[in-house]
Amino acid sequence: MNKGVAITGMGIISAIGNNVAENYDALINEKKGITRVDHIETIQREEIMVGEIKFTNDELIAQLNLSPENNYSRTAMLGVIAAKEAIADAGINDIKKFKTGIVSGTSVGGMDMTEKYYYQYLTEKEPQKYIESHHAGDSTQKIAEQLGIEESLVTTISTACSSAANAIMLGARLIKSGKLDRVVVGGADCLSKFTINGFKTLMILSDTYNTPFDENRKGLNLGEAAAFLVLESDEVIKAENKKVLAYVKGYGNANDAFHQTASSDNGDGATLAMEKALKVAGIKPSEIDYINAHGTATGNNDLSEGRAILRIFGNEMPEFSSTKAFTGHTLAAAGAIEAVYSVLALQNNVIFPNLNFKTPMKEFSMIPQTELKKKELNTVLSNSFGFGGNCSAVIFSKEA
Amino acid sequence: MSELKEELKAKIIEQLNLEDVAVADIADDDALFGDGLGLDSIDALELIVMLDKDYGIRLSDPKEGRKIFESVQVMADYIQEHRTK
Amino acid sequence: MKKVYINSIASISPQKTFDNTIFLDEIIDYNDTVIFVQDPDYKQYIPPAAARRMAKGIKMGVVASKIAMDEAGIETVDAIITGTGMGCMIDSEKFVSAIIDNNEQYLTPTSFIQSTHNTVAGQIALGMECKAYNFTYVHSAISFEAALLDAKMQLENAEATHILVGGVEELGEHTTKVHRVINHIKPEAVTISEVLNSKTKGAVFSEGTNFFVISNQRRESCYAELVAIETFNTLQKDRVSEAIEAFLKENNLKADDIDVVVFGNNGDVDFDGFYNQLSKGIFSKTQQVFYKHLVGENNTVSAFGVWLASKILKTQSIAEIVKINKINPSKIKTVLCYNQYRGQNHSLVLLKKC
């Protein structure tokens, strides 16, 4: 077994809760956060369901105490809320005491403001402040500023829906290589007309509650969320006598190299990513106790991922579930959201249910865990796959 | 009918940006997907929007598209029968 | 820890740089505020069926990656890592404007799919059938350096042998317009000889791409050893010299040991001071070079700085057009690149002769 990287804090805001405790409460009480979209004016409203955070931008600005002149995109504000909770949870009072960086994943970035003021930018002075908030790195830059991270490594990954998983992966490698002592890793994405209409053109949005791994699945629900985890080196853990929540034990990224958006029939990329993660962790598939699947509830993903899981686990299939029926698919943030859920699963020895499942898929006999289940968990595998064939798997463990 | 077929060929070329293909290169019965013109699932989605926008035909399941877009001939027959504009 | 080498380079820029056999032999002058690349023959590299959905940035990235792979003489790599600050702007603009102009109706998927930031890395993988690690960094002016750092860590730890790393930026028409509005683009056209002394706000915006094969094996084509990379989200002007000296010290060097320093001056009167203080300060006796007058400013143009440094180290020559001062070192062993954009996202890349 190889040594993992310690997680000492986490923070989250999603459609099912504004912090870690609320998210856990919703998960164990089967309270999903899927509704019609309220804060975005779209003609698609009646045709889609979303996992929306029910704060308006003004409410978020007030919560964060931002000045009226601020140019925060919604992505940045959600990110700050989650990152601040993670830092507080890790008991960090002096961010400068150790060399601290941040790696965030986002795909939407500041697109919410760009699509709102696209043409106004050319003529109206007031919204022009948001022009500089468009690029993906802006939200991360702002989160760093809010946390007081200066003169350090601050970067952003955008590999579509695997972005945050990849941010966790890079963070772990930065700690292992000694480049940083402490890294805040995660991701943030807000809902936008851009993604709503984009996924709509792909005809993979469900008009009702998403049903991962169900034969009659109709597609995904988009969601918005942010989540961050604090990773710290062994030296910091020792020096500060830190409590460790769990460990990033293994990770792997591979490319399906099959199609721009669709996953290969046999899930080649997903299989490779899981194999690599197991190798980095130095464990066998049989040592995985629970899989938090990507499970977006699109026809293509669930079949491809299911087959990949079968290829790895065969007859030794652990319980698996997708939590996207709770939160919707939160795109670039998904890997971090589900990392938090994986750690919660480990901490509480509980497997979260795959809601809305009724009929097994005809292609295989895999049945997700549909009810909350108590089980002693030591290792959890979390999958995240994205456009461009990007496939990632991260393994979390209770012991180093 | 043959007018509609020519129109479809021109639209397919333009919409899907098939720079090196001319209307005359596409026979009515040529397969559009796979070995024929080599279109893929993204093209199918593009064509579904074209059916909606230009002929008032709405498909809700991309799988339906596969059958309709078998060839220009099949497409034209389908449009003839179902068009609302 | 294994040493890391830049084994091949490829650049598509507003200068004729896609041919590796020449080195700024002929300079194209511009008199503009936005400049575009000298196009290679994309069709020679990309089959029409694959090219039909590709916007400019994707084409540039795919072609540059092929040039770099060819020069390194390898068929595949253990990772593809790209950086892009703005991402696929052309398709993003197409999709946003279609949403607004058509009130969310009759939208087609192609531009949405292609707008994803990792499209270039994904397309390269698809073209190469490369199932390896595939990352895209999107952090403004350090997007490329983040990619380079990721690759370097993997190579040092022998997790990979060859990695394709690149930066790519395309210009979207609307994005250019809005950046004009907020004075990020120069108000008046400037020629390449005037850029540095333009005394106006903003930069000459550009598009372009630079790809490299970096490896933990030194190949015959080797340009340079990649010694160290550091990035800073913030750095106050009066902290820059100190930060550079600390970085050099970590690598057992002093400012005097640097034979050539590559600066990212873009002629923006508000921000060139970050470099000018070094020209007059710790690097006053060092040969200083710059390049943004030739290739403009974009989020990953600092990769052109690394391209320039690599060329200088390999050819042991410096074109007059890039010289800021005239120290003319007889031997060039160590080169440092420093870049920042609008006072943020600073980067240092240290290269040595291989």
Side-chain angles (χ1 to χ4, degrees), chain A residues 108-122:
Chain A
V108 174
M111 187 56 92
D112 60 323
M113 294 304 173
T114 301
E115 67 190 21
K116 201 179 283 174
Y117 302 119
Y118 194 69
Y119 292 118
Q120 279 99 304
Y121 281 158
L122 297 172

Side-chain angles (χ1 to χ4, degrees), chain A residues 55-80:
Chain A
F55 289 124
T56 63
N57 281 349
D58 286 338
E59 285 167 341
L60 293 172
I61 289 170
Q63 260 187 54
L64 290 170
N65 246 326
L66 300 175
S67 77
E69 294 82 41
N70 84 82
N71 67 345
Y72 279 59
S73 63
R74 189 170 171 88
T75 298
M77 291 193 281
L78 299 177
V80 171

Side-chain angles (χ1 to χ4, degrees), chain A residues 207-238:
Chain A
D207 57 0
T208 178
Y209 299 107
N210 77 81
T211 61
F213 296 105
D214 189 283
E215 171 64 18
N216 302 312
R217 62 200 182 281
K218 295 175 81 178
L220 57 84
N221 301 135
L222 283 174
E224 60 182 352
F228 285 91
L229 300 99
V230 179
L231 307 183
E232 295 189 282
S233 71
D234 292 342
E235 291 71 29
V236 176
I237 302 291
K238 224 172 157 189

Side-chain angles (χ1 to χ4, degrees), chain C residues 13-15 30 34-38 56 171 205-207:
Chain C
S13 77
Q15 298 297 329
Y30 290 94
V34 176
I35 58 178
F36 298 87
V37 300
Q38 294 293 311
K56 184 87 174 273
L171 284 162
F205 267 28
S206 69
E207 58 178 7

Side-chain angles (χ1 to χ4, degrees), chain A residues 197-272:
Chain A
N197 283 287
F199 281 89
K200 183 90 185 159
T201 66
L202 293 170
M203 301 180 87
I204 52 173
L205 290 183
S206 171
D207 57 0
T208 178
Y209 299 107
N210 77 81
T211 61
F213 296 105
D214 189 283
E215 171 64 18
N216 302 312
R217 62 200 182 281
K218 295 175 81 178
L220 57 84
N221 301 135
L222 283 174
E224 60 182 352
F228 285 91
L229 300 99
V230 179
L231 307 183
E232 295 189 282
S233 71
D234 292 342
E235 291 71 29
V236 176
I237 302 291
K238 224 172 157 189
E240 301 271 285
N241 200 11
K242 274 279 177 72
K243 180 174 163 250
V244 177
L245 309 179
Y247 293 84
V248 179
K249 185 79 179 161
Y251 39 78
N253 171 269
N255 196 285
D256 214 19
F258 170 74
H259 185 273
Q260 263 294 108
T261 55
S263 302
S264 59
D265 293 340
N266 288 318
D268 286 349
T271 305
L272 276 170

Side-chain angles (χ1 to χ4, degrees), chain A residues 295-314:
Chain A
T296 56
T298 64
N300 179 240
N301 177 81
D302 294 4
L303 179 58
S304 176
E305 183 179 14
R307 284 189 171 140
I309 290 174
L310 269 174
R311 279 167 76 178
I312 299 284
F313 294 93

Side-chain angles (χ1 to χ4, degrees), chain C residues 75-113:
Chain C
E75 299 285 318
T76 191
V77 284
D78 304 311
I80 296 168
I81 312 178
T82 62
T84 178
M86 295 299 283
C88 298
M89 283 317 302
I90 295 170
D91 283 303
S92 299
E93 287 184 5
K94 237 191 230 172
F95 199 66
V96 183
S97 57
I99 290 173
I100 300 170
D101 299 348
N102 304 321
N103 189 31
E104 300 181 78
Q105 286 173 304
Y106 306 126
L107 298 169
T108 58
T110 303
S111 56
F112 173 68
I113 292 166

